[in-house]
Amino acid sequence: MAIAIHTSATSTPIEVIPLADIDGDSLKPATAFGSEEPKLVDGRPVFSLPSIVVRMGGEVLKTASVKVFTKPGKLTALQPVALTGSLTITPWTTRDSGTVRLSIVADGIASPKGDR
């Protein structure tokens, strides 16, 4: 079950904090599990954001991953950015541990001040 919301409809933003500088131009489309084929979400490729921390309402989401439809520009380490546009949050579990994880897909990202 996926939860779809728009960033303008929530007062609790989801922040992404890069742990290292990320050059959006160097990101390649995510691949499907166990394949070299591009991972498609709603028929479109997505880009995984590596080395990040996800925070929602001040709480760190330890088991969340983030993908975006639009490649970001350059992201600076430890500078929070906000997810923009439509968000789809999909919970899933691992077979071995049963840990609940969140997969978050957003249209894009921007700094909280709206500039990139």
Side-chain angles (χ1 to χ4, degrees):
M1 171 183 81
I3 301 164
I5 57 174
H6 195 277
T7 54
S8 64
T10 180
S11 61
T12 306
I14 297 174
E15 287 185 313
V16 175
I17 304 166
L19 297 177
D21 289 346
I22 299 173
D23 179 7
D25 289 337
S26 69
L27 295 178
K28 305 254 187 284
T31 56
F33 182 74
S35 170
E36 292 299 316
E37 295 296 315
K39 178 177 182 64
L40 301 179
V41 176
D42 295 332
R44 303 185 320 186
V46 291
F47 301 90
S48 294
L49 298 180
S51 304
I52 58 164
V53 170
V54 179
R55 190 168 59 189
M56 186 165 121
E59 302 269 338
V60 173
L61 304 178
K62 296 180 181 177
T63 58
S65 65
V66 175
K67 295 177 182 65
V68 292
F69 287 116
T70 305
K71 274 188 184 185
K74 182 170 176 37
L75 303 179
T76 304
L78 304 179
Q79 296 296 312
V81 294
L83 298 174
T84 61
S86 296
L87 301 176
T88 302
I89 304 171
T90 306
W92 59 281
T93 60
T94 58
R95 291 181 197 196
D96 53 344
S97 70
T99 301
V100 176
R101 300 180 185 277
L102 296 176
S103 174
I104 302 169
V105 178
D107 285 340
I109 56 175
S111 73
K113 293 177 185 149
D115 55 9
R116 271 192 173 191

